[in-house]
Amino acid sequence: MPLKQQKTFRHFQVFAIAITLFAAGGLTLLAMDSESKTSAKLLNEEATQATDEAGSAEEEFVPPTKAELRRKLNRIQYDVTQNAATEPAFRNAYWNNKKKGEYHCIVCDKPLFKSDTKFKSGTGWPSFFEPIEKDAVGYETDYKMFFPRTEVHCERCKAHLGHVFDDGPAPTGKRYCMNSASMKFIEANSREEK
């Protein structure tokens, strides 16, 4: 290859490398002194670690398939959470539960209610005056009866939980009338032991 072509080829290679480094942000690193490079590297590592920690704190929820739910849940749990059925009053697991702890979604394990917000409503279903967090549950208007009701579902997996009414105690005046079949109870001392 003639000398002129070799120089042109080298210029092209240098230009291509410079473009690649610029696109990757490497050109700015080349201009930094070694102390700045170390600082930039540490900042980048901290940002990566913070991103990794945030990602592991709340991993993206992947909804189970209907087949997986049929294997995981018993018949009443499936009917309540997936078909908005209602379990029998006074013949369910938590209507009279007085233990301290949390009630989690049976499908995705999201914390829904705390035992200190549970009250005796006389309805035969577990009742609460507020969810554990405002974004723990979602709402939808339900027209299955003669009058519209507000359906409550798990905000993460959309499992049907029950309904909310405006006849609850202070401080909220709400009665979250839930199905035991849509929840699992995590007793306070069993959670602390883990």
Side-chain angles (χ1 to χ4, degrees), residues 8-131:
T8 304
F9 184 71
R10 280 198 186 123
H11 283 99
F12 176 77
Q13 284 180 318
V14 169
F15 179 74
I17 291 169
I19 292 294
T20 304
L21 287 173
F22 181 78
L27 195 59
T28 54
L29 281 178
L30 287 175
M32 294 179 179
D33 62 13
S34 63
E35 188 176 319
S36 297
K37 285 181 186 177
T38 305
S39 297
K41 185 178 178 185
L42 288 173
L43 285 172
N44 189 33
E45 287 172 1
E46 288 173 1
T48 303
Q49 183 179 357
T51 303
D52 292 345
E53 287 171 3
S56 64
E58 178 84 29
E59 291 185 22
E60 187 176 333
F61 174 70
V62 178
T65 65
K66 294 288 184 187
E68 289 170 332
L69 287 172
R70 286 190 185 280
R71 284 193 300 272
K72 176 183 177 179
L73 306 174
N74 65 35
R75 188 185 57 69
I76 189 70
Q77 289 169 334
Y78 186 89
D79 286 344
V80 167
T81 61
Q82 304 307 301
N83 300 321
T86 302
E87 67 191 0
F90 301 103
R91 290 186 290 140
N92 56 74
Y94 305 128
W95 77 272
N96 200 27
N97 183 24
K98 295 177 177 73
K99 295 176 182 173
K100 297 287 182 194
E102 291 180 355
Y103 294 83
H104 290 209
C105 176
I106 194 72
V107 173
C108 72
D109 199 36
K110 183 172 183 67
L112 301 170
F113 299 94
K114 284 187 176 180
S115 59
D116 57 3
T117 64
K118 188 174 187 284
F119 67 96
K120 187 174 182 178
S121 65
T123 61
W125 291 284
S127 298
F128 306 85
F129 60 78
E130 69 183 348

